Every structure is written in C-alpha cells, then in structure tokens.
Amino acid sequence: MILIQACARSSDNLWVEAESFDNKGGWVVDQQFMDQMGSSYLMAHGMGQPVEDAITEVSFGKTGVYHVFVRTYNWTSPWYKGNGPGKFQLKLNNETLSAVLGCEGNRWMWQKAGTITIKDKKNKISLHDLSGFNGRCDAIYFTMNENDIPPAEKNALSEVRKQKLNLPKKPTGVHAYDFVVVGGGIAGMSAAIAAARLGCKVALVHDRPVLGGNNSSEVRVHLGGRIEAGLYPALGALQKEFGPVKGGNAQPESFYEDEKKMEAVKNEKNITLYASCRAFDAEMEGNRISKVFIRNIETNREMALVAPLFADCTGDANLGFMVKAEYRSGREARSEYNEETAPLQADGMTMGASVQWYATEDSQASTFPPFSYGMTFDEKSSEKVVMGEWTWETGMNKDQVDEAEYIRDYGLLVVFSNWSFLKNFYSLKNEYADYSLKWVAYIAGKRESRRLTGDYVLTENDLVNFVEYPHIFVSI
C-alpha cells in the first residue's frame, strides 16, 4: 500500500496536487475527466457566489525565489474568446499573487501565477475563488528555474507527475478478491451485494465518495423500472432494500438517500468498498482480466486488485475499454438488426448527458451576476422555469467519453446563461426576483456511452415481440 503526500519536493522545486489539499473549503473534487486530461482537479462550483478558500500546508526544500505555475483551464473558451468567468488567485500565507488564473487560453495549460520569495520552509497555500463560476485547478508547481515549465501534453505530463510525486510505474500494493466490481452505481451495487451474499469476497470500486451513480444526490435522476416481473421473480428485488422511497428528478438531496445506499454496502461483511477510487489501468492473462489498478481521486494513493472475475459497471465501459474489449457506440443501421425505428445509415448519435438544477424561493430578493460567455438568450429562446430535469440534456452528437468535459461544461453554460437572463434582463424578471439557484449538478448524468458487446445483443425486436430468453444472459 502506497501513501502519496499532497505534495512532493526536491531541493529547488515543489509539486502540489490541488485535489489533495487538506482543507478543500468550498471547492469540489472533479474526477470525471481523469482519463482525458490526466488527473482529478478542484473546482469552485459556487453557482455565481465565490466559495471558501481551499487551504493546505506545504514544506519547501529550501528558501529563496520561486516561479509559480498553475495548471488550469478557461472552461468557456470553446464558446467565448475573451476572458472567462472561472477566476481565482493563489495565496501563499498572507500574500496574494497578482495573476488572475483560470480565465485565459483555450485548453488545459500551465499559467504563471507569479514569482514569490520563500523565507520559511513551512508555508500555507490557498486557492482564492473570485467568482463562484467553476474555476478549476489541477496542480501547482513552484520552481527556482523560470524555464522549468511542466509539459501540457497529457502523456508527457503523466510521466512528470509520477516523477514529481515519486509514484512507481505500477502500484506495488496488491489485494486479492473473488470478484471485483468497478463502478458503484445501482448496477454495481446490485452486483456486489448479490455476490457477497453468495459467499464471494468482493471489492467494489467507485470514483465518487457517495454511491448510486445517476441516482445519487450528486446527479439526482429518478430510480425506476419493473422488478420481480414475469419469469424472473427475484429480478430487481435488491432495489427494495437500498432504493430511495421518494422519486423524481432534480429533487432535494434527501430524496436520494445516499446514506441508505452506503449502509447497504457497509453492512455486507464480504464487501470491501474503495470509495473515491478510479480504475485507470488493467492487465490480462490470456483472454481474461487478471488485475485492475485503482487510484484515489484525492490522495493519489494507488493499488492493484486481483480476482478471477470482474464486472464493468462504470457506465462508460471503462474497464472493458482498457483491455480492448469489443464495444459499440452510436446507432446501428436499420439493416443490421432489422429494427424499424433505427436510422437507414449508422451514425454516432447517442443519448446525451444531463446537467440538472433547481432554484428555490427565498424570503427576500436575490441577485445573480450577469453571465454572458458565448450563449445568448432572449424573450423567446429562454426557458421560463425554476427547475431543469434530465431533459436539460446535451452532447447527443459528441463523443460521450472523449468530449465529456466539453459536454458537461456546455450544460453549465446553458444553465447559468438562461438563469442570468431571467434574473437580469427578462421583461418579467420580477417574477424571479425572490428565487435563487439552490443546486446545479456538476457531475453530469450520462444517459448513453460505450456499449460492451456481449454474447447476445438485445434488439428492438426482442422488446416489441416480448421475446423471452430464460436461460441466457443478455447484453444491452
């Protein structure tokens, strides 16, 4: 088992991972795009109100003058070419570095935060949010060499990150199980609990601190569907144990009963839960997965899990993709399975990802900062609502994996732009004067992604014709 500290130093430089800050204040850890941009990061998700500082203590190898670089991203840059809204500054002890970060450029990049004189080896650094509009910070690098700027390209950066954090090429800590489930949504929870009750020693790996996936309080999608039906009287029965009693999309946090889900897993003595851990690599022996490597999204601690059986319940088929399993995405042509409602030609369209939200009425009028970063609403195009359900969906013509950050950010752009119009410019804005944004999801509710190809592919005709296959497993 390897413990990685929040920062790593040499005699003339210091590397700090933002997601490992001791006190994250009002900043949140976002791991959704680790595979694409190389790391989880901290984000100031304040819905237009600056969040509390994230703070940590660091120790330098020696005193002297350091140049400071911050890896960040101007998230509205795909739609707006000026300075973006995600503004923040870096503070060292009581000194605020002059550069405003997070609002320049058009990709994840190293931005110079300034030059500072370190007089004592032990110091406190802070991320100071200026807007509440999703400024993001991946890492901070202090160096005495002004030209020692880390690379921007993901693979090269990954090598530097491992070197700076003293990470081995492969984790040395290995833990053995009978069954490893990757993904702690409803499917992963069900697989883990069912196997544990059959006597299997199970590892459940989930890359968020709460279980439930789309049905968690972080996404807030209703849990529904038929259970205990037809030839399958036990089908879905587990949902009665840990599924929430109340339904609905974009409802208050308590509706989704995160605690009930967590207790259901923790009460199973045969399950070891690896919460806030993301699978990032895997190994094969012959045609079987033999080992999966996981990394904690906050501490960067890595380990390996071995088992004779694995389940990919990630939603993106991440585990299958790592080992080059066959998968599909998009829509097949009508002729392939003789499906009447399929398109004539195959295409890449999928169901999209939803960024849900709602506002609540307060006892007094509230304000919302004008937000105009490449999307314009008017009297006709604006949505005159105080809640956005799963239908606030986007990205149907984008790659739901490789372009996932773009898709989520576009969802945020739409929510903030529409709400800004209603609060500041709508002719009937007084109707919204007492409303304020209560909750906006930053974890996207993904509706469709890669589909691993199983031994049997369930088609439209199976559903329309009520075809029953009592003796085989099916893959949707």
Side-chain angles (χ1 to χ4, degrees):
M1 187 176 295
I2 302 170
L3 295 177
I4 306 301
Q5 301 300 316
C7 58
R9 72 184 187 193
S10 69
S11 60
D12 60 357
N13 63 67
L14 175 72
W15 183 285
V16 183
E17 287 289 322
E19 66 272 15
S20 296
F21 268 44
D22 297 325
N23 178 3
K24 296 176 178 62
W27 295 65
V28 297
V29 178
D30 192 341
Q31 90 307 332
Q32 297 170 91
F33 322 111
M34 287 175 66
D35 300 339
Q36 288 72 45
M37 56 78 65
S39 175
S40 54
Y41 56 85
L42 284 188
M43 183 166 68
H45 185 58
M47 297 175 289
Q49 298 295 323
V51 305
E52 294 181 8
D53 289 1
I55 304 170
T56 200
E57 292 186 353
V58 297
S59 180
F60 288 81
K62 63 181 180 181
T63 59
V65 176
Y66 285 83
H67 304 276
V68 189
F69 299 93
V70 175
R71 189 171 188 240
T72 185
Y73 174 48
N74 175 19
W75 69 272
T76 58
S77 59
W79 308 282
Y80 182 73
K81 301 310 176 187
N83 283 351
K87 301 174 182 178
F88 67 97
Q89 289 178 296
L90 186 68
K91 297 166 65 175
L92 193 134
N93 300 320
N94 296 318
E95 182 178 351
T96 301
L97 278 68
S98 60
V100 176
L101 306 166
C103 57
E104 299 178 4
N106 58 8
R107 60 191 176 98
W108 277 98
M109 57 179 280
W110 291 95
Q111 185 178 349
K112 186 159 187 182
T115 303
I116 194 162
T117 300
I118 300 299
K119 299 177 181 178
D120 300 302
K121 290 186 177 181
K122 291 187 180 296
N123 294 270
K124 180 177 71 175
I125 58 176
S126 307
L127 299 178
H128 179 62
D129 179 33
L130 298 174
S131 70
F133 280 126
N134 299 81
R136 49 202 72 176
C137 178
D138 170 26
I140 305 161
Y141 186 52
F142 298 84
T143 176
M144 289 185 163
N145 180 355
E146 185 175 12
N147 298 316
D148 179 23
I149 305 172
E153 194 273 326
K154 188 188 76 169
N155 292 334
L157 177 60
S158 177
E159 291 300 315
V160 171
R161 194 190 306 268
K162 281 183 174 289
Q163 176 189 356
K164 296 297 184 183
L165 295 177
N166 298 315
L167 288 169
K169 289 187 178 295
K170 293 287 185 182
T172 55
V174 180
H175 303 268
Y177 295 91
D178 300 316
F179 184 38
V180 174
V181 180
V182 182
I186 299 301
M189 288 180 62
S190 300
I193 292 174
R197 291 180 181 177
L198 292 173
C200 292
K201 183 182 177 184
V202 180
L204 177 59
V205 180
H206 188 54
D207 64 1
R208 295 301 301 168
V210 299
L211 295 167
N214 278 355
N215 186 239
S216 73
S217 65
E218 295 191 312
V219 183
R220 306 191 189 184
V221 172
H222 172 70
L223 177 63
R226 294 182 64 196
I227 66 173
E228 301 172 332
L231 299 175
Y232 312 98
L235 181 66
L238 279 174
Q239 313 316 314
K240 295 190 295 184
E241 297 185 32
F242 58 76
V245 174
K246 295 181 179 180
N249 299 306
Q251 296 299 312
E253 178 180 359
S254 61
F255 277 44
Y256 302 92
E257 299 189 70
D258 292 340
E259 297 82 5
K260 181 196 286 188
K261 298 185 181 79
M262 186 63 73
E263 284 302 310
V265 168
K266 287 187 174 181
N267 287 339
E268 296 293 334
K269 63 180 182 180
N270 286 335
I271 297 179
T272 300
L273 174 63
Y274 293 90
S276 295
C277 289
R278 187 176 180 90
F280 66 91
D281 200 2
E283 286 184 359
M284 298 279 287
E285 287 185 4
N287 62 353
R288 290 182 178 272
I289 300 173
S290 61
K291 186 182 297 183
V292 65
F293 301 98
I294 65 175
R295 177 184 298 128
N296 187 284
I297 66 170
E298 296 187 25
T299 67
N300 281 297
R301 170 181 153 193
E302 294 182 351
M303 66 187 72
L305 308 178
V306 298
L309 292 172
F310 292 81
D312 188 336
C313 300
T314 61
D316 278 328
N318 283 334
L319 181 56
F321 181 78
M322 290 174 198
V323 297
K324 297 180 172 55
E326 183 181 340
Y327 72 92
R328 293 188 172 201
S329 60
R331 303 186 297 178
E332 293 91 1
R334 184 179 304 174
S335 59
E336 184 165 358
Y337 293 109
N338 194 30
E339 295 173 306
E340 183 177 340
T341 61
L344 289 175
Q345 301 294 328
D347 60 32
M349 181 179 284
T350 65
M351 292 186 287
S354 300
V355 173
Q356 301 190 115
W357 64 277
Y358 64 83
T360 56
E361 194 169 11
D362 299 323
S363 59
Q364 58 186 14
S366 66
T367 60
F368 187 79
F371 187 94
S372 180
Y373 293 91
M375 175 169 290
T376 302
F377 284 99
D378 56 30
E379 301 277 328
K380 183 177 180 180
S381 64
S382 58
E383 290 283 336
K384 289 79 174 176
V385 293
V386 294
M387 182 181 75
E389 292 195 50
W390 67 265
T391 51
W392 284 61
E393 174 189 4
T394 188
M396 287 75 81
N397 290 304
K398 297 289 183 181
D399 187 310
Q400 291 292 332
V401 178
D402 288 340
E403 297 178 280
E405 189 172 23
Y406 176 102
I407 294 168
R408 191 281 308 273
D409 288 348
Y410 185 78
L412 292 175
L413 183 74
V414 172
V415 173
F416 294 147
S417 299
N418 187 76
W419 190 246
S420 174
F421 176 79
L422 296 181
K423 292 288 288 183
N424 299 303
F425 308 107
Y426 183 36
S427 60
L428 300 177
K429 64 182 180 181
N430 286 341
E431 294 182 2
Y432 299 91
D434 295 340
Y435 281 88
S436 61
L437 280 183
K438 179 69 173 179
W439 174 77
V440 179
Y442 68 92
I443 304 295
K446 194 173 294 189
R447 304 192 65 217
E448 184 182 355
S449 186
R450 304 182 186 114
R451 306 187 303 277
L452 292 178
T453 304
D455 294 328
Y456 186 85
V457 177
L458 193 69
T459 71
E460 174 187 345
N461 297 313
D462 292 287
L463 303 180
V464 171
N465 298 321
F466 298 98
V467 176
E468 295 178 345
Y469 295 98
H471 302 303
I472 67 170
F473 293 99
V474 296
S475 174
I476 301 177

